[in-house]
Amino acid sequence: MWCKRLACLLKVPCQPSGSAGHRSSWILHGSRTVLVAAARWHHKAPESLRCAWQLHGDHLELRYANTLMRFDFVWLRDHCRSASCYNAKTNQRSLDTASVDLGIKPKAVRVDETTLFLTWPDGHVTRYGLEWLVKNSYEGQKQQVMHPRILWNAEIYRQAQVPSIDCRSFLETDKGLKEFLQNFLLYGIAFVENVTPTKEDTEILAERVSLIRETIYGRMWYFTSDFSRGDTAYTKLALDRHTDTTYFQEPCGIQVFHCLKHEGTGGRTLLVDGFYAAEQVLQQAPDQFELLSKVPLKHEYVENVGDCHNHMIGVGPVLNVYPWNNELYLIRYNNYDRAVINTVPYDVVHRWYAAHRTLTAELRRPENELWVKLKPGKALFVDNWRVLHGREAFTGYRQLCGCYLTRDDVLNTARLLGLQA
């Protein structure tokens, strides 16, 4: 996505002592390299050249591939990839960051067609590829998407005709697993067909992509309407759309559902892309989106049923975004488990309720609801950080099994297969 590599030959002398506020730069002018010393950026290069840099008192300014970047001198020293500073075998930093002088400045700077060279006061030389700097600069990251996704409502998802993956292909081939994970990463949901309807086979399925996250509900759980746990889910009642474990400090990343048996009517599963709904709020009411991403709330689970005694509390905003590019990565939405709102001052509460109402209205739009009937043999994986799930009321005996997966391990599996995750 970046512009092609730019040719430039640049050089700078040591900055004169006692001139911390002085800025100097060399830029290419035709076939000559010219020193420029001034209080602002100078564009002396021909129109075809798009590469220049400038030293400031505490940072280096670099223009490359249509991106203007600013690098703190300590950052440039800290991220050195030389053999003495970085272990390429373990991909770990060797340099002691706390040993770097916070007032450090390079004594020489040079740029060739592909690389920035910095010589430090002790003579150490740091080299950075210009493309690497574009990719890893703050300015470059602001233009990057961490997790490519396809946002959807019911019609978009149906038209996409996302295929389910056969269980044998999923378990026995990297191709099947990769296709499954690609679907999951893009849409936040994915299905596996022809699974033997037992808890043991569902467990084997889950372990193909991740470690199973053991919680207060155990490792693998059976799910019926016997109210064996202090949760509305263990009834025959309808469940409104929500994400699970909002009362954990880190909500579970992925949830697996497999219907083993249903002798009755109803019980369809509701799926809603929370990120699609949040995007509508961002476009229509950006101030409300920002409020939902800034106001921390408590979610709570209190259980005293039989031998189960738990009191869980999780804290976080409804919408969680990366601050550098405003990309949404987690929605924490569960009206059942939201605790008393006592983390918000009175003059913000009403605005928060209005913003929550706007998001809820989007989540409840019929066109955003994808209804599926889970049947024995068809397992569903749900991104619990993105897709809300619910259920219509049902009759008769209905048994599901499932588990939670650790998000880090699912993404790790995807990256090892060459996917962006």
mmCIF file with all atom_site columns, all heavy atoms in Angstrom, residues 236-258:
data_model
loop_
_atom_site.group_PDB
_atom_site.id
_atom_site.type_symbol
_atom_site.label_atom_id
_atom_site.label_alt_id
_atom_site.label_comp_id
_atom_site.label_asym_id
_atom_site.label_entity_id
_atom_site.label_seq_id
_atom_site.pdbx_PDB_ins_code
_atom_site.Cartn_x
_atom_site.Cartn_y
_atom_site.Cartn_z
_atom_site.occupancy
_atom_site.B_iso_or_equiv
_atom_site.pdbx_formal_charge
_atom_site.auth_seq_id
_atom_site.auth_comp_id
_atom_site.auth_asym_id
_atom_site.auth_atom_id
_atom_site.pdbx_PDB_model_num
ATOM 1   N N   . LYS A 1 236 ? -35.154 -21.832 29.773 1.00 0.00 ? 236 LYS A N   1
ATOM 2   C CA  . LYS A 1 236 ? -35.737 -21.917 28.429 1.00 0.00 ? 236 LYS A CA  1
ATOM 3   C C   . LYS A 1 236 ? -36.144 -20.543 27.898 1.00 0.00 ? 236 LYS A C   1
ATOM 4   O O   . LYS A 1 236 ? -36.719 -20.448 26.809 1.00 0.00 ? 236 LYS A O   1
ATOM 5   C CB  . LYS A 1 236 ? -36.958 -22.845 28.446 1.00 0.00 ? 236 LYS A CB  1
ATOM 6   C CG  . LYS A 1 236 ? -36.642 -24.289 28.790 1.00 0.00 ? 236 LYS A CG  1
ATOM 7   C CD  . LYS A 1 236 ? -37.891 -25.157 28.761 1.00 0.00 ? 236 LYS A CD  1
ATOM 8   C CE  . LYS A 1 236 ? -37.549 -26.616 29.088 1.00 0.00 ? 236 LYS A CE  1
ATOM 9   N NZ  . LYS A 1 236 ? -38.741 -27.494 29.064 1.00 0.00 ? 236 LYS A NZ  1
ATOM 10  N N   . LEU A 1 237 ? -35.838 -19.506 28.650 1.00 0.00 ? 237 LEU A N   1
ATOM 11  C CA  . LEU A 1 237 ? -36.232 -18.157 28.266 1.00 0.00 ? 237 LEU A CA  1
ATOM 12  C C   . LEU A 1 237 ? -35.405 -17.633 27.102 1.00 0.00 ? 237 LEU A C   1
ATOM 13  O O   . LEU A 1 237 ? -34.287 -18.077 26.857 1.00 0.00 ? 237 LEU A O   1
ATOM 14  C CB  . LEU A 1 237 ? -36.062 -17.208 29.463 1.00 0.00 ? 237 LEU A CB  1
ATOM 15  C CG  . LEU A 1 237 ? -36.844 -17.549 30.728 1.00 0.00 ? 237 LEU A CG  1
ATOM 16  C CD1 . LEU A 1 237 ? -36.455 -16.590 31.851 1.00 0.00 ? 237 LEU A CD1 1
ATOM 17  C CD2 . LEU A 1 237 ? -38.346 -17.492 30.461 1.00 0.00 ? 237 LEU A CD2 1
ATOM 18  N N   . ALA A 1 238 ? -35.977 -16.665 26.393 1.00 0.00 ? 238 ALA A N   1
ATOM 19  C CA  . ALA A 1 238 ? -35.232 -15.993 25.334 1.00 0.00 ? 238 ALA A CA  1
ATOM 20  C C   . ALA A 1 238 ? -34.106 -15.172 25.952 1.00 0.00 ? 238 ALA A C   1
ATOM 21  O O   . ALA A 1 238 ? -34.222 -14.672 27.077 1.00 0.00 ? 238 ALA A O   1
ATOM 22  C CB  . ALA A 1 238 ? -36.163 -15.085 24.536 1.00 0.00 ? 238 ALA A CB  1
ATOM 23  N N   . LEU A 1 239 ? -33.018 -15.064 25.233 1.00 0.00 ? 239 LEU A N   1
ATOM 24  C CA  . LEU A 1 239 ? -31.885 -14.252 25.676 1.00 0.00 ? 239 LEU A CA  1
ATOM 25  C C   . LEU A 1 239 ? -31.642 -13.149 24.663 1.00 0.00 ? 239 LEU A C   1
ATOM 26  O O   . LEU A 1 239 ? -31.494 -13.425 23.461 1.00 0.00 ? 239 LEU A O   1
ATOM 27  C CB  . LEU A 1 239 ? -30.623 -15.107 25.814 1.00 0.00 ? 239 LEU A CB  1
ATOM 28  C CG  . LEU A 1 239 ? -30.575 -16.130 26.947 1.00 0.00 ? 239 LEU A CG  1
ATOM 29  C CD1 . LEU A 1 239 ? -29.307 -16.968 26.828 1.00 0.00 ? 239 LEU A CD1 1
ATOM 30  C CD2 . LEU A 1 239 ? -30.625 -15.439 28.291 1.00 0.00 ? 239 LEU A CD2 1
ATOM 31  N N   . ASP A 1 240 ? -31.574 -11.909 25.142 1.00 0.00 ? 240 ASP A N   1
ATOM 32  C CA  . ASP A 1 240 ? -31.265 -10.796 24.248 1.00 0.00 ? 240 ASP A CA  1
ATOM 33  C C   . ASP A 1 240 ? -29.794 -10.855 23.862 1.00 0.00 ? 240 ASP A C   1
ATOM 34  O O   . ASP A 1 240 ? -28.974 -11.519 24.517 1.00 0.00 ? 240 ASP A O   1
ATOM 35  C CB  . ASP A 1 240 ? -31.589 -9.470  24.928 1.00 0.00 ? 240 ASP A CB  1
ATOM 36  C CG  . ASP A 1 240 ? -31.625 -8.310  23.938 1.00 0.00 ? 240 ASP A CG  1
ATOM 37  O OD1 . ASP A 1 240 ? -31.706 -8.571  22.719 1.00 0.00 ? 240 ASP A OD1 1
ATOM 38  O OD2 . ASP A 1 240 ? -31.551 -7.143  24.382 1.00 0.00 ? 240 ASP A OD2 1
ATOM 39  N N   . ARG A 1 241 ? -29.444 -10.139 22.806 1.00 0.00 ? 241 ARG A N   1
ATOM 40  C CA  . ARG A 1 241 ? -28.061 -10.143 22.310 1.00 0.00 ? 241 ARG A CA  1
ATOM 41  C C   . ARG A 1 241 ? -27.093 -9.631  23.380 1.00 0.00 ? 241 ARG A C   1
ATOM 42  O O   . ARG A 1 241 ? -27.385 -8.670  24.102 1.00 0.00 ? 241 ARG A O   1
ATOM 43  C CB  . ARG A 1 241 ? -27.971 -9.304  21.035 1.00 0.00 ? 241 ARG A CB  1
ATOM 44  C CG  . ARG A 1 241 ? -28.352 -7.858  21.207 1.00 0.00 ? 241 ARG A CG  1
ATOM 45  C CD  . ARG A 1 241 ? -29.282 -7.398  20.110 1.00 0.00 ? 241 ARG A CD  1
ATOM 46  N NE  . ARG A 1 241 ? -30.590 -7.991  20.295 1.00 0.00 ? 241 ARG A NE  1
ATOM 47  C CZ  . ARG A 1 241 ? -31.507 -8.094  19.319 1.00 0.00 ? 241 ARG A CZ  1
ATOM 48  N NH1 . ARG A 1 241 ? -31.243 -7.646  18.116 1.00 0.00 ? 241 ARG A NH1 1
ATOM 49  N NH2 . ARG A 1 241 ? -32.677 -8.663  19.551 1.00 0.00 ? 241 ARG A NH2 1
ATOM 50  N N   . HIS A 1 242 ? -25.939 -10.264 23.460 1.00 0.00 ? 242 HIS A N   1
ATOM 51  C CA  . HIS A 1 242 ? -24.968 -9.902  24.490 1.00 0.00 ? 242 HIS A CA  1
ATOM 52  C C   . HIS A 1 242 ? -23.622 -10.552 24.165 1.00 0.00 ? 242 HIS A C   1
ATOM 53  O O   . HIS A 1 242 ? -23.534 -11.456 23.329 1.00 0.00 ? 242 HIS A O   1
ATOM 54  C CB  . HIS A 1 242 ? -25.439 -10.395 25.871 1.00 0.00 ? 242 HIS A CB  1
ATOM 55  C CG  . HIS A 1 242 ? -25.539 -11.885 25.969 1.00 0.00 ? 242 HIS A CG  1
ATOM 56  N ND1 . HIS A 1 242 ? -26.614 -12.595 25.469 1.00 0.00 ? 242 HIS A ND1 1
ATOM 57  C CD2 . HIS A 1 242 ? -24.682 -12.819 26.479 1.00 0.00 ? 242 HIS A CD2 1
ATOM 58  C CE1 . HIS A 1 242 ? -26.430 -13.887 25.682 1.00 0.00 ? 242 HIS A CE1 1
ATOM 59  N NE2 . HIS A 1 242 ? -25.257 -14.058 26.288 1.00 0.00 ? 242 HIS A NE2 1
ATOM 60  N N   . THR A 1 243 ? -22.592 -10.091 24.809 1.00 0.00 ? 243 THR A N   1
ATOM 61  C CA  . THR A 1 243 ? -21.320 -10.799 24.804 1.00 0.00 ? 243 THR A CA  1
ATOM 62  C C   . THR A 1 243 ? -21.132 -11.442 26.170 1.00 0.00 ? 243 THR A C   1
ATOM 63  O O   . THR A 1 243 ? -21.668 -10.971 27.174 1.00 0.00 ? 243 THR A O   1
ATOM 64  C CB  . THR A 1 243 ? -20.136 -9.868  24.500 1.00 0.00 ? 243 THR A CB  1
ATOM 65  O OG1 . THR A 1 243 ? -20.079 -8.824  25.484 1.00 0.00 ? 243 THR A OG1 1
ATOM 66  C CG2 . THR A 1 243 ? -20.279 -9.249  23.115 1.00 0.00 ? 243 THR A CG2 1
ATOM 67  N N   . ASP A 1 244 ? -20.359 -12.509 26.202 1.00 0.00 ? 244 ASP A N   1
ATOM 68  C CA  . ASP A 1 244 ? -20.169 -13.278 27.439 1.00 0.00 ? 244 ASP A CA  1
ATOM 69  C C   . ASP A 1 244 ? -19.007 -12.757 28.271 1.00 0.00 ? 244 ASP A C   1
ATOM 70  O O   . ASP A 1 244 ? -18.106 -12.084 27.770 1.00 0.00 ? 244 ASP A O   1
ATOM 71  C CB  . ASP A 1 244 ? -19.911 -14.754 27.104 1.00 0.00 ? 244 ASP A CB  1
ATOM 72  C CG  . ASP A 1 244 ? -21.201 -15.549 26.978 1.00 0.00 ? 244 ASP A CG  1
ATOM 73  O OD1 . ASP A 1 244 ? -22.266 -14.929 26.853 1.00 0.00 ? 244 ASP A OD1 1
ATOM 74  O OD2 . ASP A 1 244 ? -21.129 -16.795 26.997 1.00 0.00 ? 244 ASP A OD2 1
ATOM 75  N N   . THR A 1 245 ? -19.041 -13.116 29.532 1.00 0.00 ? 245 THR A N   1
ATOM 76  C CA  . THR A 1 245 ? -17.964 -12.871 30.514 1.00 0.00 ? 245 THR A CA  1
ATOM 77  C C   . THR A 1 245 ? -17.498 -11.421 30.524 1.00 0.00 ? 245 THR A C   1
ATOM 78  O O   . THR A 1 245 ? -16.310 -11.142 30.661 1.00 0.00 ? 245 THR A O   1
ATOM 79  C CB  . THR A 1 245 ? -16.763 -13.832 30.277 1.00 0.00 ? 245 THR A CB  1
ATOM 80  O OG1 . THR A 1 245 ? -16.223 -13.636 28.969 1.00 0.00 ? 245 THR A OG1 1
ATOM 81  C CG2 . THR A 1 245 ? -17.184 -15.278 30.459 1.00 0.00 ? 245 THR A CG2 1
ATOM 82  N N   . THR A 1 246 ? -18.429 -10.497 30.399 1.00 0.00 ? 246 THR A N   1
ATOM 83  C CA  . THR A 1 246 ? -18.079 -9.078  30.543 1.00 0.00 ? 246 THR A CA  1
ATOM 84  C C   . THR A 1 246 ? -17.588 -8.794  31.962 1.00 0.00 ? 246 THR A C   1
ATOM 85  O O   . THR A 1 246 ? -16.935 -7.768  32.198 1.00 0.00 ? 246 THR A O   1
ATOM 86  C CB  . THR A 1 246 ? -19.300 -8.187  30.249 1.00 0.00 ? 246 THR A CB  1
ATOM 87  O OG1 . THR A 1 246 ? -20.407 -8.611  31.071 1.00 0.00 ? 246 THR A OG1 1
ATOM 88  C CG2 . THR A 1 246 ? -19.707 -8.279  28.793 1.00 0.00 ? 246 THR A CG2 1
ATOM 89  N N   . TYR A 1 247 ? -17.889 -9.706  32.883 1.00 0.00 ? 247 TYR A N   1
ATOM 90  C CA  . TYR A 1 247 ? -17.472 -9.547  34.279 1.00 0.00 ? 247 TYR A CA  1
ATOM 91  C C   . TYR A 1 247 ? -16.077 -10.128 34.535 1.00 0.00 ? 247 TYR A C   1
ATOM 92  O O   . TYR A 1 247 ? -15.634 -10.202 35.666 1.00 0.00 ? 247 TYR A O   1
ATOM 93  C CB  . TYR A 1 247 ? -18.498 -10.211 35.214 1.00 0.00 ? 247 TYR A CB  1
ATOM 94  C CG  . TYR A 1 247 ? -19.023 -11.521 34.703 1.00 0.00 ? 247 TYR A CG  1
ATOM 95  C CD1 . TYR A 1 247 ? -18.283 -12.697 34.815 1.00 0.00 ? 247 TYR A CD1 1
ATOM 96  C CD2 . TYR A 1 247 ? -20.268 -11.585 34.076 1.00 0.00 ? 247 TYR A CD2 1
ATOM 97  C CE1 . TYR A 1 247 ? -18.761 -13.892 34.331 1.00 0.00 ? 247 TYR A CE1 1
ATOM 98  C CE2 . TYR A 1 247 ? -20.751 -12.783 33.582 1.00 0.00 ? 247 TYR A CE2 1
ATOM 99  C CZ  . TYR A 1 247 ? -20.004 -13.937 33.713 1.00 0.00 ? 247 TYR A CZ  1
ATOM 100 O OH  . TYR A 1 247 ? -20.485 -15.127 33.224 1.00 0.00 ? 247 TYR A OH  1
ATOM 101 N N   . PHE A 1 248 ? -15.391 -10.563 33.480 1.00 0.00 ? 248 PHE A N   1
ATOM 102 C CA  . PHE A 1 248 ? -13.970 -10.908 33.582 1.00 0.00 ? 248 PHE A CA  1
ATOM 103 C C   . PHE A 1 248 ? -13.155 -9.663  33.242 1.00 0.00 ? 248 PHE A C   1
ATOM 104 O O   . PHE A 1 248 ? -13.568 -8.863  32.398 1.00 0.00 ? 248 PHE A O   1
ATOM 105 C CB  . PHE A 1 248 ? -13.594 -12.014 32.603 1.00 0.00 ? 248 PHE A CB  1
ATOM 106 C CG  . PHE A 1 248 ? -14.082 -13.388 32.967 1.00 0.00 ? 248 PHE A CG  1
ATOM 107 C CD1 . PHE A 1 248 ? -14.922 -13.601 34.054 1.00 0.00 ? 248 PHE A CD1 1
ATOM 108 C CD2 . PHE A 1 248 ? -13.712 -14.481 32.199 1.00 0.00 ? 248 PHE A CD2 1
ATOM 109 C CE1 . PHE A 1 248 ? -15.374 -14.870 34.373 1.00 0.00 ? 248 PHE A CE1 1
ATOM 110 C CE2 . PHE A 1 248 ? -14.152 -15.762 32.506 1.00 0.00 ? 248 PHE A CE2 1
ATOM 111 C CZ  . PHE A 1 248 ? -14.992 -15.960 33.600 1.00 0.00 ? 248 PHE A CZ  1
ATOM 112 N N   . GLN A 1 249 ? -11.990 -9.514  33.854 1.00 0.00 ? 249 GLN A N   1
ATOM 113 C CA  . GLN A 1 249 ? -11.140 -8.385  33.491 1.00 0.00 ? 249 GLN A CA  1
ATOM 114 C C   . GLN A 1 249 ? -10.735 -8.466  32.018 1.00 0.00 ? 249 GLN A C   1
ATOM 115 O O   . GLN A 1 249 ? -10.609 -7.451  31.347 1.00 0.00 ? 249 GLN A O   1
ATOM 116 C CB  . GLN A 1 249 ? -9.886  -8.347  34.376 1.00 0.00 ? 249 GLN A CB  1
ATOM 117 C CG  . GLN A 1 249 ? -10.110 -7.713  35.737 1.00 0.00 ? 249 GLN A CG  1
ATOM 118 C CD  . GLN A 1 249 ? -10.545 -6.260  35.637 1.00 0.00 ? 249 GLN A CD  1
ATOM 119 O OE1 . GLN A 1 249 ? -11.744 -5.938  35.692 1.00 0.00 ? 249 GLN A OE1 1
ATOM 120 N NE2 . GLN A 1 249 ? -9.583  -5.366  35.479 1.00 0.00 ? 249 GLN A NE2 1
ATOM 121 N N   . GLU A 1 250 ? -10.535 -9.698  31.530 1.00 0.00 ? 250 GLU A N   1
ATOM 122 C CA  . GLU A 1 250 ? -10.348 -9.914  30.094 1.00 0.00 ? 250 GLU A CA  1
ATOM 123 C C   . GLU A 1 250 ? -11.412 -10.902 29.639 1.00 0.00 ? 250 GLU A C   1
ATOM 124 O O   . GLU A 1 250 ? -11.289 -12.104 29.876 1.00 0.00 ? 250 GLU A O   1
ATOM 125 C CB  . GLU A 1 250 ? -8.958  -10.461 29.781 1.00 0.00 ? 250 GLU A CB  1
ATOM 126 C CG  . GLU A 1 250 ? -8.736  -10.685 28.294 1.00 0.00 ? 250 GLU A CG  1
ATOM 127 C CD  . GLU A 1 250 ? -7.397  -11.311 27.971 1.00 0.00 ? 250 GLU A CD  1
ATOM 128 O OE1 . GLU A 1 250 ? -6.360  -10.667 28.227 1.00 0.00 ? 250 GLU A OE1 1
ATOM 129 O OE2 . GLU A 1 250 ? -7.385  -12.455 27.470 1.00 0.00 ? 250 GLU A OE2 1
ATOM 130 N N   . PRO A 1 251 ? -12.480 -10.416 29.000 1.00 0.00 ? 251 PRO A N   1
ATOM 131 C CA  . PRO A 1 251 ? -13.533 -11.327 28.554 1.00 0.00 ? 251 PRO A CA  1
ATOM 132 C C   . PRO A 1 251 ? -12.981 -12.437 27.669 1.00 0.00 ? 251 PRO A C   1
ATOM 133 O O   . PRO A 1 251 ? -11.999 -12.240 26.945 1.00 0.00 ? 251 PRO A O   1
ATOM 134 C CB  . PRO A 1 251 ? -14.472 -10.403 27.765 1.00 0.00 ? 251 PRO A CB  1
ATOM 135 C CG  . PRO A 1 251 ? -14.249 -9.043  28.355 1.00 0.00 ? 251 PRO A CG  1
ATOM 136 C CD  . PRO A 1 251 ? -12.784 -9.005  28.696 1.00 0.00 ? 251 PRO A CD  1
ATOM 137 N N   . CYS A 1 252 ? -13.607 -13.593 27.750 1.00 0.00 ? 252 CYS A N   1
ATOM 138 C CA  . CYS A 1 252 ? -13.158 -14.715 26.926 1.00 0.00 ? 252 CYS A CA  1
ATOM 139 C C   . CYS A 1 252 ? -13.203 -14.340 25.448 1.00 0.00 ? 252 CYS A C   1
ATOM 140 O O   . CYS A 1 252 ? -14.138 -13.673 24.990 1.00 0.00 ? 252 CYS A O   1
ATOM 141 C CB  . CYS A 1 252 ? -14.035 -15.930 27.184 1.00 0.00 ? 252 CYS A CB  1
ATOM 142 S SG  . CYS A 1 252 ? -13.823 -16.605 28.852 1.00 0.00 ? 252 CYS A SG  1
ATOM 143 N N   . GLY A 1 253 ? -12.195 -14.784 24.710 1.00 0.00 ? 253 GLY A N   1
ATOM 144 C CA  . GLY A 1 253 ? -12.059 -14.342 23.329 1.00 0.00 ? 253 GLY A CA  1
ATOM 145 C C   . GLY A 1 253 ? -12.971 -15.043 22.341 1.00 0.00 ? 253 GLY A C   1
ATOM 146 O O   . GLY A 1 253 ? -13.576 -14.410 21.485 1.00 0.00 ? 253 GLY A O   1
ATOM 147 N N   . ILE A 1 254 ? -13.070 -16.360 22.437 1.00 0.00 ? 254 ILE A N   1
ATOM 148 C CA  . ILE A 1 254 ? -13.847 -17.137 21.466 1.00 0.00 ? 254 ILE A CA  1
ATOM 149 C C   . ILE A 1 254 ? -14.725 -18.108 22.224 1.00 0.00 ? 254 ILE A C   1
ATOM 150 O O   . ILE A 1 254 ? -14.315 -18.687 23.229 1.00 0.00 ? 254 ILE A O   1
ATOM 151 C CB  . ILE A 1 254 ? -12.917 -17.901 20.486 1.00 0.00 ? 254 ILE A CB  1
ATOM 152 C CG1 . ILE A 1 254 ? -12.249 -16.933 19.505 1.00 0.00 ? 254 ILE A CG1 1
ATOM 153 C CG2 . ILE A 1 254 ? -13.684 -18.962 19.710 1.00 0.00 ? 254 ILE A CG2 1
ATOM 154 C CD1 . ILE A 1 254 ? -10.981 -16.299 20.007 1.00 0.00 ? 254 ILE A CD1 1
ATOM 155 N N   . GLN A 1 255 ? -15.943 -18.273 21.722 1.00 0.00 ? 255 GLN A N   1
ATOM 156 C CA  . GLN A 1 255 ? -16.871 -19.223 22.323 1.00 0.00 ? 255 GLN A CA  1
ATOM 157 C C   . GLN A 1 255 ? -17.269 -20.265 21.286 1.00 0.00 ? 255 GLN A C   1
ATOM 158 O O   . GLN A 1 255 ? -17.497 -19.935 20.113 1.00 0.00 ? 255 GLN A O   1
ATOM 159 C CB  . GLN A 1 255 ? -18.121 -18.515 22.845 1.00 0.00 ? 255 GLN A CB  1
ATOM 160 C CG  . GLN A 1 255 ? -19.061 -19.425 23.621 1.00 0.00 ? 255 GLN A CG  1
ATOM 161 C CD  . GLN A 1 255 ? -20.055 -18.640 24.463 1.00 0.00 ? 255 GLN A CD  1
ATOM 162 O OE1 . GLN A 1 255 ? -20.218 -17.449 24.267 1.00 0.00 ? 255 GLN A OE1 1
ATOM 163 N NE2 . GLN A 1 255 ? -20.712 -19.298 25.387 1.00 0.00 ? 255 GLN A NE2 1
ATOM 164 N N   . VAL A 1 256 ? -17.340 -21.529 21.717 1.00 0.00 ? 256 VAL A N   1
ATOM 165 C CA  . VAL A 1 256 ? -17.730 -22.629 20.847 1.00 0.00 ? 256 VAL A CA  1
ATOM 166 C C   . VAL A 1 256 ? -19.083 -23.158 21.307 1.00 0.00 ? 256 VAL A C   1
ATOM 167 O O   . VAL A 1 256 ? -19.281 -23.426 22.495 1.00 0.00 ? 256 VAL A O   1
ATOM 168 C CB  . VAL A 1 256 ? -16.678 -23.769 20.881 1.00 0.00 ? 256 VAL A CB  1
ATOM 169 C CG1 . VAL A 1 256 ? -17.090 -24.893 19.930 1.00 0.00 ? 256 VAL A CG1 1
ATOM 170 C CG2 . VAL A 1 256 ? -15.297 -23.243 20.529 1.00 0.00 ? 256 VAL A CG2 1
ATOM 171 N N   . PHE A 1 257 ? -20.022 -23.301 20.359 1.00 0.00 ? 257 PHE A N   1
ATOM 172 C CA  . PHE A 1 257 ? -21.334 -23.877 20.632 1.00 0.00 ? 257 PHE A CA  1
ATOM 173 C C   . PHE A 1 257 ? -21.534 -25.104 19.747 1.00 0.00 ? 257 PHE A C   1
ATOM 174 O O   . PHE A 1 257 ? -21.256 -25.067 18.549 1.00 0.00 ? 257 PHE A O   1
ATOM 175 C CB  . PHE A 1 257 ? -22.459 -22.893 20.310 1.00 0.00 ? 257 PHE A CB  1
ATOM 176 C CG  . PHE A 1 257 ? -22.527 -21.682 21.184 1.00 0.00 ? 257 PHE A CG  1
ATOM 177 C CD1 . PHE A 1 257 ? -22.058 -20.452 20.741 1.00 0.00 ? 257 PHE A CD1 1
ATOM 178 C CD2 . PHE A 1 257 ? -23.082 -21.747 22.454 1.00 0.00 ? 257 PHE A CD2 1
ATOM 179 C CE1 . PHE A 1 257 ? -22.135 -19.326 21.530 1.00 0.00 ? 257 PHE A CE1 1
ATOM 180 C CE2 . PHE A 1 257 ? -23.175 -20.626 23.256 1.00 0.00 ? 257 PHE A CE2 1
ATOM 181 C CZ  . PHE A 1 257 ? -22.696 -19.412 22.795 1.00 0.00 ? 257 PHE A CZ  1
ATOM 182 N N   . HIS A 1 258 ? -22.063 -26.164 20.333 1.00 0.00 ? 258 HIS A N   1
ATOM 183 C CA  . HIS A 1 258 ? -22.439 -27.338 19.550 1.00 0.00 ? 258 HIS A CA  1
ATOM 184 C C   . HIS A 1 258 ? -23.707 -27.920 20.162 1.00 0.00 ? 258 HIS A C   1
ATOM 185 O O   . HIS A 1 258 ? -23.700 -28.374 21.312 1.00 0.00 ? 258 HIS A O   1
ATOM 186 C CB  . HIS A 1 258 ? -21.312 -28.380 19.555 1.00 0.00 ? 258 HIS A CB  1
ATOM 187 C CG  . HIS A 1 258 ? -21.579 -29.524 18.640 1.00 0.00 ? 258 HIS A CG  1
ATOM 188 N ND1 . HIS A 1 258 ? -20.823 -30.697 18.658 1.00 0.00 ? 258 HIS A ND1 1
ATOM 189 C CD2 . HIS A 1 258 ? -22.517 -29.721 17.662 1.00 0.00 ? 258 HIS A CD2 1
ATOM 190 C CE1 . HIS A 1 258 ? -21.280 -31.525 17.736 1.00 0.00 ? 258 HIS A CE1 1
ATOM 191 N NE2 . HIS A 1 258 ? -22.310 -30.967 17.129 1.00 0.00 ? 258 HIS A NE2 1
#
